[in-house]
Amino acid sequence: MIVDRVRTIWCRELRNDDIAVDDNFFTLGGQSVIMARIQAAFIDELGLEVPVDQMFLNPTVASISAYIESLNAATP
């Protein structure tokens, strides 16, 4: 499930094992350097390039996972 994979990446990069799917990235202490590392992990581990603007618009594991799933649904 994509949400589990995204949560694992967030936990690792934010160095916090207690992240809920509705926690806000910025409230958790997220900032641009960490966001860049998460973006790189999405490319390396999920094979997807997620634009930075979408990461700002989707600041929770749940919302960015839904966005990523929408990309997969749009791919034939």
Side-chain angles (χ1 to χ4, degrees), residues 47-65:
L48 293 169
E49 185 167 346
V50 178
V52 171
D53 65 328
Q54 289 300 321
M55 295 179 72
F56 276 100
L57 292 170
N58 297 288
T60 67
V61 168
S63 64
I64 199 65
S65 296

Side-chain angles (χ1 to χ4, degrees), residues 26-40:
F26 300 104
T27 303
L28 294 167
Q31 37 85 354
S32 60
V33 173
I34 296 171
M35 185 175 285
R37 290 198 317 248
I38 290 172
Q39 186 182 34

Side-chain angles (χ1 to χ4, degrees), residues 3-6 12 14 18 26 30 32 48 53 56 58 75:
V3 71
D4 294 331
R5 296 176 73 190
V6 168
R12 182 184 66 232
L14 287 163
D18 192 29
F26 300 104
S32 60
L48 293 169
D53 65 328
F56 276 100
N58 297 288
T75 304

Side-chain angles (χ1 to χ4, degrees), residues 5-13 38 41-42 45-46:
R5 296 176 73 190
V6 168
R7 185 180 173 282
T8 297
I9 292 168
W10 277 41
C11 288
R12 182 184 66 232
E13 298 303 332
I38 290 172
F42 286 163
E45 298 174 37
L46 305 179

Side-chain angles (χ1 to χ4, degrees), residues 68-76:
I68 290 170
E69 286 177 342
S70 75
L71 293 176
N72 288 335
T75 304

